[in-house]
């Protein structure tokens, strides 16, 4: 069966990678097909062939601006846009009972509520990082945190390109959640998101975050477990956005036929 995929934010960095991956699978094994690509009103990309826009051959799908039609036509819509747009798309996913694959990070409480509400009507698959490597890293971090006591300080360091607008990254926060789960603590209570000036000594049991921004770094995350006389560091480095696009398209195909609910990449990968 070929899963009919729509992509919103089709002119964005991730949108273009998603179009390329969907068309690659459409040609290679027919497991999915591209049925629509949405761009913003007034975008210079509006009306262009999505395959050409993404740097490949023409595919016969022109970009459009009508999300209602897209969510009605597609079996699954992949969304790497902005929190505000994702909140509105979740309502359409619920109405159309359309699989909604959400990669957008930096969601606020209103968008979280919108995804939660939509998950009663449609499969919603959401991950701050859709790569296989980071999904595995989360499982490893949880295990290490559960094994070591708070004699080991946990610090999470991330670096991304200069255009990234939210900090810490959604992946860093997801790794923090994994560490907190392993330790059996609440991340909101344990996390230290920034340090400046006379901070005093490090509170025992806290989970610290440090953010670096610069250049064209796709994404790097290290979780440090620093003990007395020894240190464990678990690192993931993304060399290309294709790893996120590959995971997201896999999630869209997996999601078709699933019951309504809120899912993560661990569900998609059967971990
Ligand atoms: P980007 O700015 O290059 O692309 C976002 C695109 O969405 C833009 O083209 C914008 O015009 C479009 N857009 C916004 N609102 C829209 C609307 N209402 N209708 C149609 N298009 C709309 O950003 P990016 O680097 O592609 O990242 C997008 C999001 O994905 C960010 O939140 C980023 O953190 C996240 N991200 C997640 C993962 C993951 O694995 N989950 C990986 C990479 C990036």
């Amino acid at each position: 069966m070929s899963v009919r995929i729509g992509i919103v934010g089709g002119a964005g960095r991730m949108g273009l990678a998603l179009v390329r991956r969907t068309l690659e699978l459409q040609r290679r094994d027919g497991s999915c097909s591209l049925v629509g690509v949405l761009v913003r009103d007034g975008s210079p990309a509006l009306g262009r062939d999505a395959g050409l826009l993404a740097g490949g051959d023409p595919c016969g799908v022109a970009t459009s601006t009508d999300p209602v039609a897209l969510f009605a036509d597609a079996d699954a819509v992949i969304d790497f846009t902005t929190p505000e747009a994702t909140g509105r798309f979740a309502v359409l996913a619920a109405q159309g009972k359309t699989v909604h694959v959400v990669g957008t990070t930096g969601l606020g409480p209103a968008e979280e509520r919108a995804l939660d509400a939509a998950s009663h009507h449609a499969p919603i698959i959401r991950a701050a990082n859709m790569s296989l490597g980071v999904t595995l890293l989360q499982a490893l971090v949880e295990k290490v945190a559960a094994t070591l006591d708070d004699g080991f300080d946990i610090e999470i360091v991330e670096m991304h390109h200069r255009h990234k607008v939210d900090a810490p990254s959604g992946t860093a926060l997801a790794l923090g959640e994994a560490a907190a789960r392993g330790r059996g603590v609440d991340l909101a209570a344990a996390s230290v998101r920034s340090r400046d000036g006379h901070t005093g000594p490090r509170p025992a049991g806290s989970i610290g975050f440090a953010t670096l921004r610069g250049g064209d770094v796709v994404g790097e995350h290290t979780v440090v477990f620093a003990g007395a006389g020894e240190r464990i560091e678990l690192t993931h480095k993304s060399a290309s956005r294709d790893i996120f696009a590959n995971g997201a398209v896999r999630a869209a195909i997996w999601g078709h036929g699933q019951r309504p609910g809120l899912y993560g990449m661990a569900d998609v990968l059967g971990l």
Side-chain angles (χ1 to χ4, degrees), residues 7-16 18 37-41 43 64-65 67 79-86 88-89 102-107 126-131 134 160-161 163-166 169-171 218 241 243-245 247-248 265:
I7 293 166
V8 291
R13 285 175 288 254
M14 278 305 302
L16 296 170
L18 289 161
V37 175
L38 205 79
V39 296
R40 263 185 196 282
D41 271 333
S43 164
S64 70
T65 56
D79 174 359
F80 285 63
T81 57
T82 62
E84 188 265 332
T86 293
R88 282 187 286 122
F89 292 143
V102 177
T104 311
T105 61
L107 303 186
R126 187 200 164 181
N129 189 309
M130 300 236 163
S131 77
V134 165
H160 282 84
H161 53 87
H163 303 290
K164 185 159 179 64
V165 294
D166 52 319
S169 72
T171 302
V218 175
R241 286 188 177 78
I243 59 171
F244 311 126
M265 279 309 281

